[in-house]
Amino acid sequence: MDRESEPHHQARATAIEPATLETFARAGVINEFLRFAVHVHQSRVCGPGRLTLARSSFAGIDCAYEFQCCLPQWRTEEILLAHMERLGGSVERGTTVTSIEQGDDHLLVTLERADSGRETVGARYLVGAGGARSITRSSMREGLEGETYAGRYVVADARLASPVAAGEGTVVVSPKGFVLFGPLPGDRWIIFVDIDEDHAGIADPPTSDTVAALVNERLGTDVGVHDVCWTSHFRMHRRMAPSLADGRRFLIGDAGHLSSPIAGEGLNAALMDAADLAWKLALILRGRGRPLLLESYAIERRMADQHALTVSDLLHGKVMKLVKASAGGFALTPAPPDADRDLALQRSRAMLDVSYAGSPLIGERLGEGIYRSDGPALGERYPDRLALAGPRHHLLLFAAAPANLTRFQGRWDGLVEVVDARTAGLDAARAGVPEGGAVLVRPDGFIGFRAIPADTAGLDALAAHLATYLIEGDVSP
């Protein structure tokens, strides 16, 4: 349900990160994003006079998509809406949720429709994606805890007569502040500019002339901002709700957390919230999931969303530190290269280093004398997850099948697909079992369990682990 009667046509959040592109590929919608978006392979930070202070590339991050896809948010929503409609879903527009009350075994949701008045309906579960003023979060008696960054910010969707760097994301800092340029299709740019409290009286929304003046002031030259089709003026935050769920209500995106848009992770975190919740809710609705499955959503996504806030805060702080140094008269010089540091930061920006370690859905069995080895850790993304098709768990066997495999398959039929990883051409080292073993990959592509060796005891331990959150089928004697 959407309270707006028509889809918006605003740029808003524009960067789709590599990890999210993998999620879109698994969902079957990647081709539309690849076709409509600008592919951004690198970004740059410049000082006064456009001196390059730092340059970063997505090359080498170990992902099928080593670039961002940049396109206006209205286009992202349009692609996902068309996909949902192909699957039989729909959006009811012009409907406002005015209250949510807890019933005995359901929620009572009051709806107000522009054309038919008020109605109260029952719902087993409710996913709140209503942004910072979420009615769902309010009904949970939750706030957004954290901080608001100093100053205000202007955002605009415009064209430039003299592009800063075609096809790159660019931040330019100066004594006056910073301006961020993100490329969009059709030779357009999304532009963010910081303003101090002295500018708080500017028109809302800001005028085209105001945007051009702010950009030119920071660049020290006229880049010809024109054809401005959307502007807004806002504050940036680093905030999160104490809990992202309460049993039947779930918060995703800005309803549960707010981060600085400088890192471009806010929309992506929302989409990853949805991806984590979707497979769990689907299993519950099919009668194959135990309560722990839904309980894990708030645990896992709080860890991941906190990490996104930390990365966003780090990049926001770096930019503002450069602005402060420039305003203080310090000469800004290029940062010394550090390949390992830069790659780690790019993987964080790409959201490939998300970890659910510590979640109740993560487990392991190691045989006597066996220790963890190099490779992805438990709870991390399986790097070859695009090789696994379908929405089930996948059990990858990098060894001969144990004697109890047939019984295991009977218990978990329809929930776990067993793959002979050796004949499938999968690399054991990339699954974290270079000497062989069994690896469970969850429907979202994260490693949920590892058994080394892949023997009868290891498979029994995996079955016991699955039984904590899944309901098995009939077990043959």
Side-chain angles (χ1 to χ4, degrees), residues 23 44 90 105-106 153 156 164 184 199 218 240 280 286 293 350 374 387 414:
T23 299
R44 183 195 313 247
S90 63
D105 58 356
H106 62 284
Y153 302 83
V164 176
L184 295 175
H199 288 81
R218 281 147 185 74
M240 181 179 288
K280 298 172 180 178
R286 286 175 52 201
L293 189 59
D374 293 338

Side-chain angles (χ1 to χ4, degrees), residues 78-97:
E78 185 178 74
I79 294 170
L80 295 180
L81 175 60
H83 183 60
M84 184 175 70
E85 290 174 341
R86 288 194 295 269
L87 296 173
S90 63
V91 173
E92 182 179 308
R93 295 195 175 277
T95 299
T96 301
V97 177

Side-chain angles (χ1 to χ4, degrees), residues 201-274:
I202 67 173
D204 190 12
T207 65
S208 300
D209 288 344
T210 295
V211 174
L214 290 169
V215 170
N216 295 341
E217 180 184 46
R218 281 147 185 74
L219 295 182
T221 186
D222 187 350
V223 293
V225 175
H226 66 287
D227 191 17
V228 178
C229 69
W230 169 70
T231 67
S232 188
H233 149 258
F234 65 103
R235 289 187 180 275
M236 291 187 188
H237 306 272
R238 182 179 184 271
R239 296 182 177 275
M240 181 179 288
S243 178
L244 298 176
D246 72 346
R248 297 190 179 276
R249 286 170 282 202
F250 304 88
L251 303 176
I252 66 175
D254 286 357
H257 44 85
L258 300 171
S259 60
S260 168
I262 289 178
E265 298 199 337
L267 174 62
N268 294 272
L271 292 164
M272 290 181 183
D273 289 343

